[in-house]
């Protein structure tokens, strides 16, 4: 039996995509892989949609005249104020779930399966790989941590009074959610990706990330609370909440996280993101310079 | 027209270890066997030629400098690695289309060529299955298809028949043999399996201890001693009598069996001497051919000389 088959082969003579734009192919592949199975992204997205509906429902109810008249003084207004900050906390929890199903295993999976050889035997540069993977994760995480909050902010603006003064009061909310959502997106896209570059095994990478996020984070916030030290900012959700609380200035939410100063929160976020991207870059560069190996 | 591969004093050092020691070679041909024992520098040489490792000296592929124009080379060269180099969670057709796009093909073109490459590699019916479920032979075929999809001018195949059962190995060798004609690409085949080289290659580059020990055609390798005077002869019967008669005529003979002998003709003699002698002795010749070394023997000789 001959195995030679041919569908009328002709040499390709058309134009080729420039090398500088090939990272976009990696981004598109990231999105396609994420969308392919229900558990990687769709389930997490469904959770974000539920949070958006619940928070939006609270905001809608709080702005209803009958509820305002029925409710005790200040409670409907308070519901309206806290809906977005509370929803942001939930979006972060959902983004953490997404990191466990997707981002914290990306580079480790590639190392494990020998995909670096697949990439670097072509004219893909390490920087294309890093940008492609990071941008793909940013887009996916942004649909959780940015799109939801922005929708809620838009709803809040829509529910504000008809007068110019109410609108002017509500508009800054949009900027605030862009700032906080943007930071959260960077954190939940880049930091798990950095952890995925630590070890060439997906399970270990996931375990390391989860342990850092949950255990080390809890220890840091506990020590920070006991010693009134900025160490608590090492816990990423607390660092993000420090920014949220400062921007929204919602007293009722203040708890342990309030012990994390804004500056410490911002420094922690920045440092985590920079170190994570650096780690991915270092790992990929090292793999490429060693002449790319196969599967581990 | 430039050579496929041109190496001038190519040296690669990993710290104190020198993997390639001033390799000089001009390589051309349709299917070139890159041979050498373990640690001889074959894989390092392939990586240098792909522009993945910096090196000293000159290394050109299709006229492009591998030190400076690695990405341009990789756009025109396909690489089938020895190790597993797949992406998880993808079907073969998705993987090949992705490979094509990463090599610069437009999306639609990449998808069309992915189907064609998989069809060519004999995976047309299985191309929508996830690669994780493939057998070793099917994975080898996918690796070949992903290396082909962007229409390379040279294909570097690193141990393409490793781990294959005899049937799959035959299929893979058949694919390799047909490729230069059907797809117009040259092949550099790095392998330990010398029978594979003997079967498919027309040229060889033998590496040993980081140096090129032989570059040329397979015929040159096998007949590197430059002699067409060593012949294998079969007669109907009584090979010993023919041996005696030929020895009397100045040849050197070794009787291998009652019907077979090896003859080393004297200088300036031709095979006509054997025909005449056999006729005179009343013996019937059944078979006569020039004795050549197998690639394996020639390889061992080249390596032995180097040692």
């Amino acid at each position: 039996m001959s195995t030679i088959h041919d569908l009328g082969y002709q040499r390709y003579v058309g134009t080729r995509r420039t090398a500088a734009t090939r990272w976009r192919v990696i981004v598109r592949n990231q999105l396609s892989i994420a969308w392919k199975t229900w558990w990687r992204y769709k389930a997490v997205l469904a959770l974000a949609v539920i949070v958006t509906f619940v928070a939006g429902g609270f905001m809608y109810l709080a702005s209803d005249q009958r509820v305002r008249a029925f409710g005790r003084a200040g409670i409907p207004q308070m519901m309206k104020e806290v809906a977005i900050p509370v929803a942001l906390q939930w979006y972060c929890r959902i983004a953490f779930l997404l990191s466990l199903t997707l981002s914290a295993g990306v580079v480790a999976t590639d190392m494990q399966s020998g995909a670096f050889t697949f990439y670097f035997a072509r004219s893909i540069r390490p920087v294309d790989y890093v940008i492609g993977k990071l941008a793909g994760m940013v887009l996916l995480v942004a649909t959780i941590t940015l799109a939801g909050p922005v929708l809620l902010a838009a709803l809040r603006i829509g529910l504000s009074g008809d007068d110019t003064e109410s609108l002017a009061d509500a508009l800054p909310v949009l900027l605030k959610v862009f700032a906080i959502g943007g930071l959260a997106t960077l954190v939940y896209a880049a930091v798990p990706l950095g952890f995925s570059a630590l070890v060439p095994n997906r399970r270990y990478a996931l375990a390391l990330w989860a342990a850092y996020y949950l255990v080390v984070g809890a220890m840091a916030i506990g020590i920070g609370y006991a010693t009134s030290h900025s160490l608590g900012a090492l816990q990423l959700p607390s660092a993000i909440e420090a920014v949220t609380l400062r921007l929204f200035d919602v007293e009722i939410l203040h708890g342990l996280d309030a012990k994390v100063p804004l500056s410490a929160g911002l420094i922690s976020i920045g440092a985590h993101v920079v170190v994570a991207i650096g780690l991915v870059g270092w790992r990929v560069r090292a793999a490429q310079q060693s002449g790319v190996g196969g599967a581990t | 027209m430039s050579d496929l591969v041109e190496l001038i004093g190519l040296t690669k050092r990993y710290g104190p270890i020198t993997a390639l020691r001033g390799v000089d070679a001009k390589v051309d041909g349709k299917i070139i066997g890159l041979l050498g024992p373990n640690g001889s520098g074959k894989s390092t040489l392939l990586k240098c030629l792909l522009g993945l490792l910096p090196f000293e000296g000159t290394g050109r592929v299709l006229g492009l400098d591998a030190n400076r124009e690695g990405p341009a080379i990789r756009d025109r060269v396909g690489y089938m690695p020895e190790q597993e180099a797949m992406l998880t969670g993808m079907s073969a057709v998705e993987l090949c289309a992705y490979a094509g796009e990463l090599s610069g093909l437009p999306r639609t073109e990449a998808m069309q060529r992915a189907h064609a490459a998989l069809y060519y590699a004999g995976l047309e019916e299985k191309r929508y299955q996830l690669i994780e479920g493939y057998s070793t032979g099917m994975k080898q075929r996918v690796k070949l298809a992903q290396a082909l999809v962007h229409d390379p001018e040279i294909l570097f195949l690193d141990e393409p028949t490793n781990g294959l059962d005899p049937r799959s190995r035959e299929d893979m060798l058949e694919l390799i043999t047909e490729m230069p004609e059907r797809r117009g690409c040259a092949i550099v085949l790095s392998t330990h399996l010398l029978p594979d080289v003997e079967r498919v290659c027309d040229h060889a580059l033998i590496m040993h201890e980081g140096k090129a020990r032989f570059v040329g055609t397979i015929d040159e390798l096998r007949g590197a001693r430059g002699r067409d005077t060593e012949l294998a002869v079969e007669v109907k019967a009584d090979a010993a009598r023919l041996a005696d008669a030929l020895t009397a005529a100045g040849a050197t003979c070794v009787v291998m069996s009652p019907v077979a002998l090896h003859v080393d003709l004297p200088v300036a003699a031709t095979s006509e001497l054997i025909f005449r002698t056999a006729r005179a002795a009343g013996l019937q010749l059944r078979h006569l051919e020039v004795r050549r070394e197998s690639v394996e023997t020639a390889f061992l000789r080249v390596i032995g000389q180097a040692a």
Side-chain angles (χ1 to χ4, degrees):
Chain A
M1 182 197 76
S2 170
T3 56
I4 307 293
H5 310 283
D6 222 324
L7 296 176
Y9 167 76
Q10 283 187 321
R11 187 161 285 285
Y12 179 70
V13 290
T15 53
R16 289 184 188 251
R17 182 191 291 271
T18 60
T21 62
R22 292 187 194 176
W23 61 271
R24 293 180 200 165
V25 178
I26 299 176
V27 173
R28 204 167 59 230
N29 183 61
Q30 285 281 100
L31 303 184
S32 136
I33 292 282
W35 192 252
K36 206 182 249 183
T37 45
W38 67 267
W39 57 272
R40 274 203 184 102
Y41 175 67
K42 288 176 187 167
V44 174
L45 183 65
L47 287 176
V49 170
I50 290 169
V51 168
T52 308
F53 268 101
V54 171
F58 269 111
M59 285 165 62
Y60 181 78
L61 284 175
S63 61
D64 188 273
Q65 289 300 327
R66 283 164 297 180
V67 174
R68 291 172 80 93
F70 182 72
R72 280 191 289 176
I75 290 183
Q77 181 58 31
M78 187 267 293
M79 280 168 60
K80 199 173 162 185
E81 293 293 327
V82 301
I84 292 179
V86 170
L88 274 165
Q89 292 178 337
W90 279 99
Y91 287 127
C92 286
R93 288 177 188 132
I94 294 169
F96 173 63
L97 284 182
L98 180 65
S99 74
L100 290 179
T101 59
L102 203 64
S103 40
V106 169
V107 181
T109 306
D110 278 353
M111 284 193 276
Q112 201 169 359
S113 65
F116 281 170
T117 307
F118 176 85
Y119 283 108
F120 300 127
R122 293 162 219 292
S123 48
I124 296 293
R125 301 163 300 174
V127 68
D128 297 328
Y129 178 90
V130 176
I131 292 175
K133 294 287 180 183
L134 185 63
M137 290 318 307
V138 163
L139 282 176
L140 289 166
V141 176
T143 58
I144 311 290
T145 52
L146 194 57
V150 167
L151 279 175
L152 290 176
L155 180 66
R156 172 138 177 211
I157 292 167
L159 292 173
S160 62
D162 293 335
D163 55 300
T164 320
E165 196 179 331
S166 302
L167 193 64
D169 282 346
L171 271 176
V173 174
L174 198 60
L175 295 176
K176 290 173 186 174
V177 296
F178 264 116
I180 301 164
L183 283 177
T185 301
L186 265 182
V187 165
Y188 288 97
V191 182
L193 205 63
F195 271 86
S196 79
L198 279 177
V199 283
N201 182 298
R202 183 173 180 271
R203 286 180 188 172
Y204 292 160
L206 290 180
L208 274 175
W209 162 237
Y212 180 79
Y213 188 87
L214 299 172
V215 182
V216 177
M219 286 166 63
I221 198 75
I223 295 168
Y225 183 69
T227 60
S228 299
H229 197 268
S230 300
L231 197 66
L234 276 178
Q235 195 196 39
L236 287 166
S238 296
I240 294 168
E241 277 173 26
V243 182
T244 309
L245 296 177
R246 171 61 80 85
L247 287 181
F248 280 91
D249 196 22
V250 188
E251 289 293 333
I252 196 167
L253 291 172
H254 285 193
L256 290 181
D257 308 328
K259 291 289 177 188
V260 176
L262 176 68
S263 57
L266 285 173
I267 290 169
S268 170
I269 289 171
H272 273 93
V273 170
V274 168
V275 169
I277 295 173
L279 200 58
V280 178
W282 164 78
R283 174 65 85 174
V284 174
R285 184 83 186 141
Q288 200 245 8
Q289 283 189 335
S290 68
V292 299
T296 54
Chain B
M1 190 180 144
S2 55
D3 293 302
L4 286 180
V5 176
E6 185 182 6
L7 314 169
I8 304 169
L10 193 151
T11 301
K12 174 65 194 171
R13 293 188 179 88
Y14 294 105
I17 298 163
T18 307
L20 298 173
R21 303 161 187 269
V23 179
D24 293 306
K26 281 189 177 184
V27 182
D28 229 327
K30 287 180 179 172
I31 306 180
I32 301 115
L34 176 57
L35 317 176
N38 284 340
S40 59
K42 302 191 299 289
S43 295
T44 302
L45 180 61
L46 279 188
K47 286 169 184 173
C48 288
L49 294 179
L50 283 167
L52 293 170
L53 292 175
F55 56 84
E56 297 161 39
T58 302
R60 288 199 189 89
V61 178
L62 297 167
L64 299 168
D65 184 342
N67 249 341
R68 291 186 296 110
E69 299 171 284
I73 289 173
R74 293 195 293 275
D75 269 349
R76 294 172 64 183
V77 167
Y79 177 52
M80 177 183 174
E82 179 185 3
Q83 314 94 326
E84 200 155 297
M86 302 288 185
L87 306 187
T88 51
M90 296 176 94
S91 67
V93 74
E94 287 169 333
L95 181 96
C96 289
Y98 185 42
E101 280 196 81
L102 287 175
S103 297
L105 295 182
R107 199 174 180 185
T108 316
E109 188 70 32
M111 184 52 86
Q112 284 173 355
R113 284 183 179 265
H115 283 285
L118 287 163
Y119 194 73
Y120 178 78
L123 276 175
E124 63 273 27
E125 289 164 13
K126 311 275 186 184
R127 62 189 189 270
Y128 295 109
Q129 284 182 13
L130 286 181
I131 295 166
E132 287 95 307
Y134 279 12
S135 66
T136 307
M138 288 160 75
K139 282 181 180 172
Q140 290 292 86
R141 285 169 186 264
V142 176
K143 283 201 288 184
L144 180 66
Q146 62 83 28
L148 269 179
V149 72
H150 61 289
D151 210 9
E153 290 162 58
I154 306 182
L155 204 51
F156 289 160
L157 308 179
D158 201 353
E159 305 285 359
T161 54
N162 251 12
L164 296 183
D165 59 54
R167 168 79 175 274
S168 305
R169 180 168 162 263
E170 279 301 307
D171 289 347
M172 180 60 75
L173 291 176
E174 191 179 352
L175 279 172
I176 293 169
T177 310
E178 296 284 335
M179 224 175 292
E181 291 302 322
R182 288 178 179 260
R183 304 191 70 99
C185 63
I187 292 173
V188 176
L189 172 68
S190 168
T191 183
H192 288 101
L193 301 173
L194 299 172
D196 288 0
V197 174
E198 190 147 17
R199 161 121 184 245
V200 303
C201 294
D202 52 43
H203 282 67
L205 166 59
I206 297 180
M207 300 287 299
H208 183 53
E209 293 175 344
K211 284 193 165 184
R213 304 295 182 175
F214 173 85
V215 190
T217 65
I218 291 291
D219 283 343
E220 285 167 353
L221 173 65
R222 296 168 75 187
R225 282 179 285 186
R227 302 183 65 175
D228 282 345
T229 56
E230 291 183 7
L231 301 158
V233 180
E234 267 184 45
V235 289
K236 189 177 179 185
D238 213 355
R241 193 147 62 86
L242 180 61
D244 291 343
L246 285 169
T247 305
T252 308
C253 299
V254 180
V255 178
M256 307 303 290
S257 76
V259 294
L261 69 157
H262 289 169
V263 181
D264 192 358
L265 293 172
V267 179
T270 67
S271 54
E272 178 61 26
L273 174 66
I274 298 175
F275 287 110
R276 271 194 283 109
T277 310
R279 203 180 307 123
L283 294 168
Q284 186 180 344
L285 285 180
R286 284 283 175 84
H287 184 83
L288 187 147
E289 69 172 359
V290 175
R291 278 181 62 213
R292 288 194 180 270
E293 287 177 300
S294 66
V295 168
E296 189 165 350
T297 315
F299 171 79
L300 291 172
R301 175 174 45 76
V302 170
I303 297 298
Q305 282 169 356

